[in-house]
Amino acid sequence: IQSLNNSFMNIINVVGARPNFIKLAPIHRALKSIPNVKSQIVHTGQHYDRAMSDIFFRQLELPEPDIYLGIGGGSHAEQTGKVMMAFEKVVEQEQPDLIIVVGDVNSTVACSLVGAKSCVPVAHVEAGLRSGDRSMPEEINRIVTDSISDLLFVTEQSGIDHLNNEGIRKESIHFVGNVMIDSLIHFREKARQSTLLDDLKVSPGEYILMTMHRPSNVDNVRGLKEMKRIIKALASHKKVIFPMHPRTKGNLEHFGLYESIGHLKGVHITEPQGYLEFLNLMDHAALIVTDSGGIQEESTYLQVPCLTLRENTERPVTIDLGTNQLVDINAGAVADKAEEIFNGSIKKGEIPPRWDGHAAERITAIAIQYLNKHKTGKVDNQVTNRFSEPVS
Ligand code: UD1
Ligand code: UDP
């Protein structure tokens, strides 16, 4: 199988933060299988701790990044600006044929802006999601990234609807499925070898898995105090396992609340977990309580009940079809919902369309076809046929 007329393609995949690595893995795997495609990884360094970055490359069987920008933390403008300045040099030097960005983090918007202004085609994976809440930094990143991308790869129908409403060209929009679910399917068996449940002394189906890191929930003392009340209420039902994001830990420490949460009865605060450990924890949880974007989707696929501590979600399919429910960020409301679930009132879910483990293959086929057309004006049916059924 050839890319087309042996023409060589240099594709840059951008990643920066934890959920990006999980989305990149299947895309890189699919791209690597195409001769004449050079699939490079640029890691901006937005996340940099071993537990937030390195461990994912190892567990997801990704090579070391080809280029590491080492940006780190900072205010939104600082972080976005630093990524743009560093990535512009990469684009000048590498002259890529395509830049692939995933998700909705600051690295995503920064690199899509650089790509668009350098006249390099940009593909956005996980396009079209909208929470409707512009106080959420990710919402701004999504709107900007989608508006300047050339290829928009969508995970659910709401994404297509939003892009249509925003006047995006129909030919750019492709409903491919969900690369985060590609990773889940690929690694689920391997994750089952994790010994973490034993190490934490919990049995399958006998614990609640919790994460929280949205600035609106954890950047203020009121939110943190409510989080503490929620954890306490949940722990009266079942043991709570809470792998803690560094933002949350940092804020709890700042407000002097970290110790007291750690000492709550029935609560186990851990470091952020590796992908395989966390996947296994999700797979066997009685209930997941979170404000994460990706975890809403993973719990839907695993058909584990999920309470999302947010006022809205950009992933409505997890509510319409999946096991996810939005719940008020209030200990009483969360306790009531948890009790309903433990009393057997469990929302039955189904797996959303095209969340079948083949999203990255569809993305690869469409991207190569697009590049062939872009570069030579011709279409290569070999690659397109090789990767699964036609996409709309
Ligand atoms: C970022 C994304 C968010 C995503 C989350 C995934 C933006 C605007 N936000 O949020 O959409 O849900 O990643 O986890 O892009 N820190 C460390 N070590 C690390 C990484 C972060 O200590 O490896 C601490 C630093 O103090 C840093 C802070 O966490 O300043 C916030 O990190 P940042 O990447 O800016 O935002 P997140 O909250 O992680
Ligand atoms: N995750 C992980 N370890 C953890 C917490 C989360 O591997 O301790 C994974 C999780 O399975 C999901 C992704 O990280 O695939 C979600 O990242 P996060 O919640 O940080 O970001 P969001 O999806 O909200 O942007």
Side-chain angles (χ1 to χ4, degrees), residues 86-385:
F87 188 63
E88 189 175 49
K89 294 202 176 74
V90 173
V91 173
E92 272 167 20
Q93 190 192 309
E94 288 294 322
Q95 300 283 314
D97 296 296
L98 178 71
I99 295 168
I100 301 182
V101 298
V102 296
D104 55 15
V105 304
N106 283 347
S107 301
T108 311
V109 70
C111 295
S112 66
L113 275 166
V114 171
K117 291 205 170 187
S118 310
C119 297
V120 176
V122 175
H124 183 207
V125 176
E126 215 178 76
L129 297 181
R130 298 287 181 268
S131 66
D133 174 2
R134 290 202 182 192
S135 69
M136 202 182 172
E138 294 82 1
E139 184 76 349
I140 308 297
N141 295 345
R142 294 177 195 122
I143 293 168
V144 174
T145 304
D146 285 342
S147 70
I148 54 176
S149 290
D150 301 272
L151 286 170
L152 296 116
F153 294 118
V154 178
T155 52
E156 61 168 84
Q157 182 61 41
S158 77
I160 301 175
D161 299 342
H162 291 130
L163 295 173
N164 283 335
N165 291 341
E166 289 169 24
I168 305 277
R169 286 166 60 245
K170 279 201 166 33
E171 308 83 79
S172 317
I173 306 170
H174 304 274
F175 180 25
V176 291
N178 192 326
V179 285
M180 183 158 256
I181 302 304
D182 288 5
S183 273
L184 187 159
I185 293 171
H186 190 81
F187 287 106
R188 191 175 184 181
E189 271 317 306
K190 195 170 171 195
R192 289 191 168 145
Q193 290 160 23
S194 153
T195 58
L196 188 64
L197 266 67
D198 289 343
D199 300 345
L200 294 171
K201 300 191 174 50
V202 287
S203 315
E206 286 305 323
Y207 60 90
I208 300 166
L209 177 63
M210 183 158 174
T211 78
M212 262 178 113
H213 74 280
R214 296 257 91 83
S216 57
N217 286 337
V218 305
D219 276 7
N220 59 83
V221 74
R222 239 188 67 218
L224 292 171
K225 284 189 171 161
E226 199 55 47
M227 181 177 92
K228 183 176 167 183
R229 281 191 282 272
I230 291 171
I231 298 173
K232 208 172 157 185
L234 290 171
S236 70
H237 287 282
K238 287 187 195 297
K239 191 158 183 181
V240 176
I241 312 285
F242 191 153
M244 195 169 277
H245 190 285
R247 172 187 286 277
T248 312
K249 185 175 182 190
N251 285 333
L252 283 170
E253 284 172 341
H254 177 76
F255 291 111
L257 291 165
Y258 183 67
E259 292 286 311
S260 68
I261 288 195
H263 290 138
L264 289 175
K265 201 166 161 279
V267 178
H268 202 127
I269 308 285
T270 75
E271 289 298 301
Q273 291 297 323
Y275 179 65
L276 298 175
E277 290 79 12
F278 194 80
L279 176 50
N280 198 41
L281 276 176
M282 286 192 288
D283 207 356
H284 295 105
L287 171 66
I288 297 175
V289 178
T290 190
D291 62 7
S292 160
I295 295 170
Q296 294 175 63
E297 297 183 336
E298 292 165 325
S299 55
T300 274
Y301 185 86
L302 296 169
Q303 305 194 299
V304 172
C306 178
L307 299 180
T308 295
L309 300 169
R310 285 177 46 187
E311 288 170 2
N312 48 56
T313 179
E314 61 289 333
R315 294 162 158 92
V317 78
T318 62
I319 294 185
D320 298 341
L321 291 185
T323 49
N324 188 23
Q325 301 181 61
L326 295 182
V327 56
D328 283 350
I329 307 151
N330 163 287
V334 177
D336 288 350
K337 276 281 175 204
E339 197 162 331
E340 265 178 40
I341 289 168
F342 295 136
N343 285 336
S345 165
I346 294 177
K347 187 177 170 224
K348 291 271 171 290
E350 57 183 272
I351 295 170
R354 300 198 184 181
W355 290 19
D356 57 2
H358 298 291
E361 295 167 5
R362 297 187 185 104
I363 288 169
T364 298
I366 294 164
I368 301 290
Q369 194 180 37
Y370 172 89
L371 285 176
N372 282 332
K373 219 166 139 191
H374 198 75
K375 275 184 122 175
T376 65
K378 290 183 199 153
V379 175
D380 175 17
N381 288 322
Q382 275 182 309
V383 174
T384 316
N385 293 343

Side-chain angles (χ1 to χ4, degrees), residues 8-20:
F8 172 79
M9 294 192 198
N10 184 10
I11 298 182
I12 287 187
N13 299 280
V14 173
V15 284
R18 174 167 69 187
N20 297 167

